[in-house]
């Protein structure tokens, strides 16, 4: 019985990390956008969010999404260096 509870707890923790990763990807994309109040992208914020997303995806062994997040982080880092 305790092994089953542990597996359920682990599954819900993994789901929570995956959701956190998805939210970080959305936050990173939002940092890239300009608006009436933000005239240029926040590449530093985007970089931090994409790195957080990559860490979350790596923790749940979603290597495809982790690679996407690391790629987005690298792109944000390149753009940060250009500004």
């Amino acid at each position: 019985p305790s092994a089953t509870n542990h597996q359920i707890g682990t599954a819900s923790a993994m789901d929570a990390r995956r959701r956190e990763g998805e939210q970080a990807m959305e936050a990173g994309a939002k940092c890239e956008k300009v608006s009436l109040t933000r005239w240029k992208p926040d590449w530093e914020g985007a970089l931090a969010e994409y790195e957080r997303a990559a860490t979350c995806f790596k923790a749940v062994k979603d290597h495809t999404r982790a690679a996407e997040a690391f790629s987005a982080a690298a792109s944000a880092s390149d753009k940060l260096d250009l500004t």
Side-chain angles (χ1 to χ4, degrees):
S2 65
T4 305
N5 289 340
H6 177 69
Q7 290 172 343
I8 292 170
T10 302
S12 65
M14 289 181 71
D15 288 343
R17 288 290 278 180
R18 188 179 314 275
R19 278 193 307 275
E20 181 183 349
E22 293 298 342
Q23 290 170 348
M25 288 294 285
E26 290 174 12
K30 187 175 179 181
C31 287
E32 291 186 13
K33 291 186 167 61
V34 294
S35 67
L36 292 175
T37 59
R38 186 182 336 150
W39 294 12
K40 62 183 187 174
D42 177 11
W43 296 118
E44 193 171 332
L47 174 59
E49 291 295 340
Y50 290 137
E51 286 177 337
R52 185 167 66 97
T55 301
C56 291
F57 292 132
K58 188 175 168 188
V60 297
K61 301 192 183 334
D62 187 345
H63 301 296
T64 302
R65 289 294 283 154
E68 292 170 3
F70 279 125
S71 178
S75 177
S77 178
D78 285 345
K79 292 173 182 168
L80 180 61
D81 289 341
L82 295 175
T83 59

